[in-house]
Amino acid sequence: SAPPPSAKLMAALVPRGTTPDPAPLPTSTRNFDHQQHRWQIVQVTGEKERAKLDLDSLRRSLDNHILRLNSLLANPEVSRDRLDSAIRSLDAELHGRLLDCEAPLRETVGTDGTYDALL
């Protein structure tokens, strides 16, 4: 069966080894792609802002725990129970925060090097 005449004409107009550019996407498809990209940007921006807020909160919390530990250690007569309580409080908070992000952490970097309390 011979190719249709339009195929012969197309072959004559396109140099051998090249292909014609695809037809431009309909406007509705371009708008959909544009909206999809905008939505992805909004999602990523939101995730980034949440991560920044979480990091800032963690930093403030660690600063408070460090201040508490420093003030306890500055006292030469600090009781073992008060020091143990401060360390356990820090451990509980860090452990709770790790549980919140444990699944993504395990998926991306595994469990090597994650936080373990040495009590």
Side-chain angles (χ1 to χ4, degrees):
S1 71
S6 60
K8 286 183 184 179
L9 177 62
M10 190 66 161
L13 296 176
V14 177
R16 179 166 270 163
T18 63
T19 55
D21 290 334
L25 294 173
T27 304
S28 62
T29 303
R30 283 189 298 224
N31 286 341
F32 177 75
D33 287 344
H34 181 70
Q35 289 172 350
Q36 200 171 24
H37 287 270
R38 287 185 62 167
W39 176 245
Q40 288 172 343
I41 290 169
V42 167
Q43 282 183 307
V44 169
T45 302
E47 290 169 5
K48 180 181 173 186
E49 289 302 315
R50 273 191 301 279
K52 285 168 53 176
L53 291 173
D54 288 346
L55 182 61
D56 189 47
S57 172
L58 176 61
R59 185 177 296 125
R60 282 193 314 265
S61 175
L62 286 174
D63 286 344
N64 288 335
H65 283 287
I66 289 170
L67 285 172
R68 181 177 177 200
L69 286 168
N70 283 337
S71 68
L72 288 173
L73 293 171
N75 181 357
E77 299 171 10
V78 64
S79 73
R80 178 174 163 73
D81 290 339
R82 288 189 70 194
L83 190 56
D84 184 62
S85 173
I87 292 171
R88 287 185 186 277
S89 174
L90 170 62
D91 178 58
E93 183 165 350
L94 291 178
H95 186 71
R97 287 179 182 264
L98 280 177
L99 289 177
D100 290 344
C101 63
E102 186 176 57
L105 189 68
R106 286 182 190 272
E107 291 172 8
T108 57
V109 296
T111 57
D112 291 340
T114 57
Y115 175 81
D116 287 318
L118 303 174
L119 296 178

